[in-house]
Amino acid sequence: MVTKAVETLSRHATAREWEVAEVITDTSPLPMPIFEREQWTAVKEAINDRRAEGIVALRGHVCVAGTATHAELLDWLAYRAAFLSVAEVTSGDRAERAPV
Protein backbone atom coordinates (compact mmCIF):
# COMPACT_ATOMS: atom_id res chain seq x y z
CA MET A 1 0.00 0.00 0.00
CA VAL A 2 1.61 3.21 -1.20
CA THR A 3 -0.38 5.55 1.08
CA LYS A 4 1.62 4.75 4.24
CA ALA A 5 4.87 5.63 2.45
CA VAL A 6 3.36 8.84 1.05
CA GLU A 7 2.16 9.82 4.55
CA THR A 8 5.65 9.23 5.96
CA LEU A 9 7.28 11.27 3.21
CA SER A 10 4.73 14.08 3.56
CA ARG A 11 5.46 14.28 7.29
CA HIS A 12 9.20 14.38 6.52
CA ALA A 13 8.73 17.26 4.06
CA THR A 14 6.28 19.15 6.27
CA ALA A 15 8.64 18.94 9.26
CA ARG A 16 11.18 20.83 7.13
CA GLU A 17 8.55 23.31 5.97
CA TRP A 18 8.80 22.09 2.38
CA GLU A 19 5.79 22.22 0.11
CA VAL A 20 5.05 18.93 -1.62
CA ALA A 21 4.93 19.93 -5.28
CA GLU A 22 4.09 16.54 -6.73
CA VAL A 23 3.77 12.95 -5.53
CA ILE A 24 5.36 10.47 -7.89
CA THR A 25 5.22 6.84 -6.82
CA ASP A 26 7.18 4.10 -8.48
CA THR A 27 6.50 0.40 -7.97
CA SER A 28 9.58 -0.79 -9.85
CA PRO A 29 11.58 -3.46 -8.00
CA LEU A 30 13.95 -1.79 -5.52
CA PRO A 31 17.10 -3.41 -6.95
CA MET A 32 16.39 -1.78 -10.33
CA PRO A 33 18.77 1.17 -10.89
CA ILE A 34 16.98 4.46 -10.31
CA PHE A 35 17.76 5.75 -13.80
CA GLU A 36 15.93 2.75 -15.30
CA ARG A 37 12.81 2.89 -13.13
CA GLU A 38 9.41 3.43 -14.65
CA GLN A 39 8.77 6.83 -13.04
CA TRP A 40 12.29 8.28 -13.37
CA THR A 41 11.25 10.27 -16.46
CA ALA A 42 8.48 11.96 -14.46
CA VAL A 43 10.94 12.82 -11.66
CA LYS A 44 13.46 14.22 -14.16
CA GLU A 45 10.81 16.34 -15.83
CA ALA A 46 9.54 17.73 -12.50
CA ILE A 47 13.06 18.81 -11.54
CA ASN A 48 14.12 20.01 -15.00
CA ASP A 49 10.89 22.06 -15.33
CA ARG A 50 11.44 23.43 -11.76
CA ARG A 51 8.07 22.12 -10.58
CA ALA A 52 10.06 20.36 -7.85
CA GLU A 53 13.29 21.38 -6.12
CA GLY A 54 14.30 17.91 -5.01
CA ILE A 55 13.46 14.34 -4.16
CA VAL A 56 12.20 13.07 -0.81
CA ALA A 57 12.40 9.28 -0.57
CA LEU A 58 12.42 6.50 1.98
CA ARG A 59 15.83 5.16 2.98
CA GLY A 60 16.69 2.22 0.74
CA HIS A 61 14.16 3.17 -1.93
CA VAL A 62 16.39 5.33 -4.13
CA CYS A 63 19.89 3.87 -4.18
CA VAL A 64 22.49 2.84 -1.66
CA ALA A 65 24.66 5.67 -0.33
CA GLY A 66 28.31 5.36 -1.29
CA THR A 67 27.66 3.58 -4.58
CA ALA A 68 28.44 4.86 -8.07
CA THR A 69 24.71 5.19 -8.76
CA HIS A 70 24.26 7.31 -5.63
CA ALA A 71 27.16 9.56 -6.67
CA GLU A 72 25.72 9.86 -10.18
CA LEU A 73 22.31 10.81 -8.77
CA LEU A 74 23.82 13.43 -6.45
CA ASP A 75 25.84 14.88 -9.35
CA TRP A 76 22.71 14.99 -11.53
CA LEU A 77 20.80 16.79 -8.76
CA ALA A 78 23.64 19.19 -7.94
CA TYR A 79 23.91 20.22 -11.59
CA ARG A 80 20.25 21.24 -11.35
CA ALA A 81 20.58 22.82 -7.87
CA ALA A 82 18.20 20.15 -6.56
CA PHE A 83 18.41 17.95 -3.48
CA LEU A 84 17.82 14.43 -2.21
CA SER A 85 16.40 14.04 1.29
CA VAL A 86 16.07 10.57 2.74
CA ALA A 87 13.37 9.86 5.32
CA GLU A 88 14.11 7.31 7.99
CA VAL A 89 11.52 4.57 8.36
CA THR A 90 10.54 3.89 11.95
CA SER A 91 8.94 0.66 13.14
CA GLY A 92 5.54 2.35 12.99
CA ASP A 93 6.16 3.53 9.42
CA ARG A 94 7.44 0.35 7.80
CA ALA A 95 7.33 0.59 4.03
CA GLU A 96 5.01 -1.74 2.24
CA ARG A 97 7.57 -2.60 -0.45
CA ALA A 98 10.40 -4.98 0.15
CA PRO A 99 13.42 -5.67 -2.06
CA VAL A 100 12.71 -8.37 -4.60
Side-chain angles (χ1 to χ4, degrees):
M1 179 185 246
V2 174
T3 350
K4 184 90 168 168
V6 171
E7 288 172 10
T8 299
L9 296 170
S10 291
R11 277 195 314 273
H12 180 84
T14 301
R16 287 149 185 80
E17 298 183 358
W18 296 335
E19 181 180 334
V20 177
E22 192 169 341
V23 175
I24 300 171
T25 57
D26 185 22
T27 57
S28 299
L30 295 177
M32 180 179 286
I34 189 166
F35 303 113
E36 296 174 17
R37 293 187 187 170
E38 183 178 334
Q39 294 300 319
W40 178 244
T41 300
V43 172
K44 283 191 324 189
E45 288 173 359
I47 291 172
N48 285 331
D49 296 347
R50 303 305 296 165
R51 294 190 319 267
E53 295 179 6
I55 300 169
V56 178
L58 295 174
R59 178 161 309 286
H61 286 239
V62 178
C63 50
V64 178
T67 63
T69 301
H70 187 254
E72 186 178 353
L73 173 61
L74 294 180
D75 287 347
W76 185 88
L77 290 167
Y79 183 77
R80 289 154 182 83
F83 66 87
L84 170 64
S85 182
V86 177
E88 295 295 332
V89 180
T90 64
S91 59
D93 290 331
R94 287 285 170 222
E96 298 78 19
R97 291 176 59 204
V100 180

